[in-house]
PDB file of all heavy atoms in Angstrom:
ATOM      1  N   VAL A 618     -13.486  24.287  21.957  1.00  0.00           N
ATOM      2  CA  VAL A 618     -14.838  24.729  21.652  1.00  0.00           C
ATOM      3  C   VAL A 618     -15.848  23.665  22.095  1.00  0.00           C
ATOM      4  O   VAL A 618     -16.906  23.988  22.644  1.00  0.00           O
ATOM      5  CB  VAL A 618     -14.992  25.095  20.153  1.00  0.00           C
ATOM      6  CG1 VAL A 618     -16.454  25.330  19.783  1.00  0.00           C
ATOM      7  CG2 VAL A 618     -14.173  26.330  19.804  1.00  0.00           C
ATOM      8  N   GLU A 619     -15.614  22.425  21.747  1.00  0.00           N
ATOM      9  CA  GLU A 619     -16.575  21.324  22.143  1.00  0.00           C
ATOM     10  C   GLU A 619     -16.658  21.207  23.616  1.00  0.00           C
ATOM     11  O   GLU A 619     -17.750  20.872  24.138  1.00  0.00           O
ATOM     12  CB  GLU A 619     -16.134  20.039  21.512  1.00  0.00           C
ATOM     13  CG  GLU A 619     -16.232  19.958  19.959  1.00  0.00           C
ATOM     14  CD  GLU A 619     -16.005  18.558  19.388  1.00  0.00           C
ATOM     15  OE1 GLU A 619     -15.117  17.871  19.949  1.00  0.00           O
ATOM     16  OE2 GLU A 619     -16.639  18.208  18.379  1.00  0.00           O
ATOM     17  N   ALA A 620     -15.569  21.434  24.336  1.00  0.00           N
ATOM     18  CA  ALA A 620     -15.569  21.273  25.771  1.00  0.00           C
ATOM     19  C   ALA A 620     -16.177  22.536  26.450  1.00  0.00           C
ATOM     20  O   ALA A 620     -16.536  22.356  27.668  1.00  0.00           O
ATOM     21  CB  ALA A 620     -14.148  21.060  26.338  1.00  0.00           C
ATOM     22  N   HIS A 621     -16.204  23.594  25.753  1.00  0.00           N
ATOM     23  CA  HIS A 621     -16.828  24.848  26.331  1.00  0.00           C
ATOM     24  C   HIS A 621     -17.786  25.380  25.370  1.00  0.00           C
ATOM     25  O   HIS A 621     -17.475  26.410  24.657  1.00  0.00           O
ATOM     26  CB  HIS A 621     -15.677  25.830  26.581  1.00  0.00           C
ATOM     27  CG  HIS A 621     -14.615  25.320  27.572  1.00  0.00           C
ATOM     28  ND1 HIS A 621     -13.512  24.578  27.116  1.00  0.00           N
ATOM     29  CD2 HIS A 621     -14.492  25.497  28.911  1.00  0.00           C
ATOM     30  CE1 HIS A 621     -12.796  24.257  28.117  1.00  0.00           C
ATOM     31  NE2 HIS A 621     -13.286  24.771  29.266  1.00  0.00           N
ATOM     32  N   PRO A 622     -19.045  24.921  25.353  1.00  0.00           N
ATOM     33  CA  PRO A 622     -20.055  25.407  24.425  1.00  0.00           C
ATOM     34  C   PRO A 622     -20.293  26.899  24.577  1.00  0.00           C
ATOM     35  O   PRO A 622     -20.292  27.413  25.678  1.00  0.00           O
ATOM     36  CB  PRO A 622     -21.301  24.596  24.852  1.00  0.00           C
ATOM     37  CG  PRO A 622     -20.787  23.406  25.478  1.00  0.00           C
ATOM     38  CD  PRO A 622     -19.499  23.836  26.168  1.00  0.00           C
ATOM     39  N   GLY A 623     -20.404  27.571  23.497  1.00  0.00           N
ATOM     40  CA  GLY A 623     -20.638  29.019  23.465  1.00  0.00           C
ATOM     41  C   GLY A 623     -19.382  29.807  23.171  1.00  0.00           C
ATOM     42  O   GLY A 623     -19.375  30.965  22.829  1.00  0.00           O
ATOM     43  N   VAL A 624     -18.200  29.176  23.298  1.00  0.00           N
ATOM     44  CA  VAL A 624     -16.957  29.786  23.008  1.00  0.00           C
ATOM     45  C   VAL A 624     -16.685  29.717  21.504  1.00  0.00           C
ATOM     46  O   VAL A 624     -16.878  28.623  20.905  1.00  0.00           O
ATOM     47  CB  VAL A 624     -15.798  29.083  23.751  1.00  0.00           C
ATOM     48  CG1 VAL A 624     -14.477  29.683  23.314  1.00  0.00           C
ATOM     49  CG2 VAL A 624     -15.938  29.251  25.267  1.00  0.00           C
ATOM     50  N   THR A 625     -16.344  30.822  20.906  1.00  0.00           N
ATOM     51  CA  THR A 625     -15.997  30.808  19.483  1.00  0.00           C
ATOM     52  C   THR A 625     -14.583  30.324  19.208  1.00  0.00           C
ATOM     53  O   THR A 625     -13.757  30.369  20.166  1.00  0.00           O
ATOM     54  CB  THR A 625     -16.109  32.264  18.924  1.00  0.00           C
ATOM     55  OG1 THR A 625     -15.036  33.109  19.477  1.00  0.00           O
ATOM     56  CG2 THR A 625     -17.428  32.867  19.219  1.00  0.00           C
ATOM     57  N   PRO A 626     -14.173  29.911  18.053  1.00  0.00           N
ATOM     58  CA  PRO A 626     -12.859  29.523  17.757  1.00  0.00           C
ATOM     59  C   PRO A 626     -11.814  30.617  18.099  1.00  0.00           C
ATOM     60  O   PRO A 626     -10.714  30.322  18.638  1.00  0.00           O
ATOM     61  CB  PRO A 626     -12.848  29.208  16.239  1.00  0.00           C
ATOM     62  CG  PRO A 626     -14.307  28.689  16.017  1.00  0.00           C
ATOM     63  CD  PRO A 626     -15.093  29.627  16.913  1.00  0.00           C
ATOM     64  N   ALA A 627     -12.144  31.812  17.797  1.00  0.00           N
ATOM     65  CA  ALA A 627     -11.221  32.944  18.143  1.00  0.00           C
ATOM     66  C   ALA A 627     -10.935  33.042  19.617  1.00  0.00           C
ATOM     67  O   ALA A 627      -9.841  33.209  20.170  1.00  0.00           O
ATOM     68  CB  ALA A 627     -11.653  34.174  17.546  1.00  0.00           C
ATOM     69  N   GLU A 628     -12.139  32.939  20.441  1.00  0.00           N
ATOM     70  CA  GLU A 628     -12.028  33.018  21.843  1.00  0.00           C
ATOM     71  C   GLU A 628     -11.294  31.770  22.421  1.00  0.00           C
ATOM     72  O   GLU A 628     -10.398  31.974  23.294  1.00  0.00           O
ATOM     73  CB  GLU A 628     -13.388  33.097  22.482  1.00  0.00           C
ATOM     74  CG  GLU A 628     -14.106  34.405  22.114  1.00  0.00           C
ATOM     75  CD  GLU A 628     -15.628  34.327  22.524  1.00  0.00           C
ATOM     76  OE1 GLU A 628     -16.162  33.228  22.631  1.00  0.00           O
ATOM     77  OE2 GLU A 628     -16.199  35.430  22.659  1.00  0.00           O
ATOM     78  N   ALA A 629     -11.519  30.667  21.814  1.00  0.00           N
ATOM     79  CA  ALA A 629     -10.743  29.424  22.283  1.00  0.00           C
ATOM     80  C   ALA A 629      -9.232  29.610  22.030  1.00  0.00           C
ATOM     81  O   ALA A 629      -8.486  29.245  22.915  1.00  0.00           O
ATOM     82  CB  ALA A 629     -11.253  28.209  21.519  1.00  0.00           C
ATOM     83  N   ALA A 630      -8.909  30.158  20.858  1.00  0.00           N
ATOM     84  CA  ALA A 630      -7.493  30.356  20.571  1.00  0.00           C
ATOM     85  C   ALA A 630      -6.793  31.246  21.621  1.00  0.00           C
ATOM     86  O   ALA A 630      -5.716  31.004  22.113  1.00  0.00           O
ATOM     87  CB  ALA A 630      -7.320  30.988  19.154  1.00  0.00           C
ATOM     88  N   ALA A 631      -7.558  32.266  21.983  1.00  0.00           N
ATOM     89  CA  ALA A 631      -7.000  33.189  23.024  1.00  0.00           C
ATOM     90  C   ALA A 631      -6.870  32.559  24.327  1.00  0.00           C
ATOM     91  O   ALA A 631      -5.837  32.729  25.036  1.00  0.00           O
ATOM     92  CB  ALA A 631      -7.901  34.517  23.141  1.00  0.00           C
ATOM     93  N   GLN A 632      -7.848  31.784  24.695  1.00  0.00           N
ATOM     94  CA  GLN A 632      -7.808  31.033  25.941  1.00  0.00           C
ATOM     95  C   GLN A 632      -6.691  29.970  26.049  1.00  0.00           C
ATOM     96  O   GLN A 632      -6.242  29.692  27.101  1.00  0.00           O
ATOM     97  CB  GLN A 632      -9.176  30.392  26.241  1.00  0.00           C
ATOM     98  CG  GLN A 632     -10.299  31.467  26.478  1.00  0.00           C
ATOM     99  CD  GLN A 632     -11.709  30.867  26.599  1.00  0.00           C
ATOM    100  OE1 GLN A 632     -11.838  29.622  26.572  1.00  0.00           O
ATOM    101  NE2 GLN A 632     -12.771  31.710  26.527  1.00  0.00           N
ATOM    102  N   LEU A 633      -6.363  29.444  24.867  1.00  0.00           N
ATOM    103  CA  LEU A 633      -5.265  28.530  24.771  1.00  0.00           C
ATOM    104  C   LEU A 633      -3.844  29.157  24.724  1.00  0.00           C
ATOM    105  O   LEU A 633      -2.856  28.450  24.756  1.00  0.00           O
ATOM    106  CB  LEU A 633      -5.490  27.585  23.560  1.00  0.00           C
ATOM    107  CG  LEU A 633      -6.669  26.611  23.664  1.00  0.00           C
ATOM    108  CD1 LEU A 633      -6.886  25.951  22.261  1.00  0.00           C
ATOM    109  CD2 LEU A 633      -6.402  25.501  24.723  1.00  0.00           C
ATOM    110  N   GLY A 634      -3.857  30.486  24.613  1.00  0.00           N
ATOM    111  CA  GLY A 634      -2.557  31.186  24.614  1.00  0.00           C
ATOM    112  C   GLY A 634      -2.055  31.334  23.273  1.00  0.00           C
ATOM    113  O   GLY A 634      -0.801  31.536  23.219  1.00  0.00           O
ATOM    114  N   TYR A 635      -2.834  31.175  22.249  1.00  0.00           N
ATOM    115  CA  TYR A 635      -2.284  31.255  20.851  1.00  0.00           C
ATOM    116  C   TYR A 635      -2.407  32.767  20.448  1.00  0.00           C
ATOM    117  O   TYR A 635      -3.414  33.361  20.474  1.00  0.00           O
ATOM    118  CB  TYR A 635      -3.048  30.464  19.877  1.00  0.00           C
ATOM    119  CG  TYR A 635      -3.054  28.966  20.197  1.00  0.00           C
ATOM    120  CD1 TYR A 635      -4.072  28.162  19.789  1.00  0.00           C
ATOM    121  CD2 TYR A 635      -2.054  28.388  21.005  1.00  0.00           C
ATOM    122  CE1 TYR A 635      -4.168  26.737  20.067  1.00  0.00           C
ATOM    123  CE2 TYR A 635      -2.072  27.067  21.295  1.00  0.00           C
ATOM    124  CZ  TYR A 635      -3.116  26.231  20.856  1.00  0.00           C
ATOM    125  OH  TYR A 635      -3.129  24.838  21.173  1.00  0.00           O
ATOM    126  N   PRO A 636      -1.274  33.359  19.988  1.00  0.00           N
ATOM    127  CA  PRO A 636      -1.213  34.728  19.564  1.00  0.00           C
ATOM    128  C   PRO A 636      -2.141  35.023  18.396  1.00  0.00           C
ATOM    129  O   PRO A 636      -2.165  34.262  17.424  1.00  0.00           O
ATOM    130  CB  PRO A 636       0.247  35.025  19.165  1.00  0.00           C
ATOM    131  CG  PRO A 636       1.030  33.934  19.858  1.00  0.00           C
ATOM    132  CD  PRO A 636       0.111  32.765  19.919  1.00  0.00           C
ATOM    133  N   ALA A 637      -2.987  36.042  18.477  1.00  0.00           N
ATOM    134  CA  ALA A 637      -3.970  36.288  17.478  1.00  0.00           C
ATOM    135  C   ALA A 637      -3.384  36.465  16.086  1.00  0.00           C
ATOM    136  O   ALA A 637      -3.944  36.069  15.052  1.00  0.00           O
ATOM    137  CB  ALA A 637      -4.832  37.556  17.841  1.00  0.00           C
TER     138      ALA A 637
END
Side-chain angles (χ1 to χ4, degrees):
V618 170
E619 288 188 327
H621 302 84
V624 172
T625 68
E628 291 169 341
Q632 292 170 11
L633 291 169
Y635 301 157

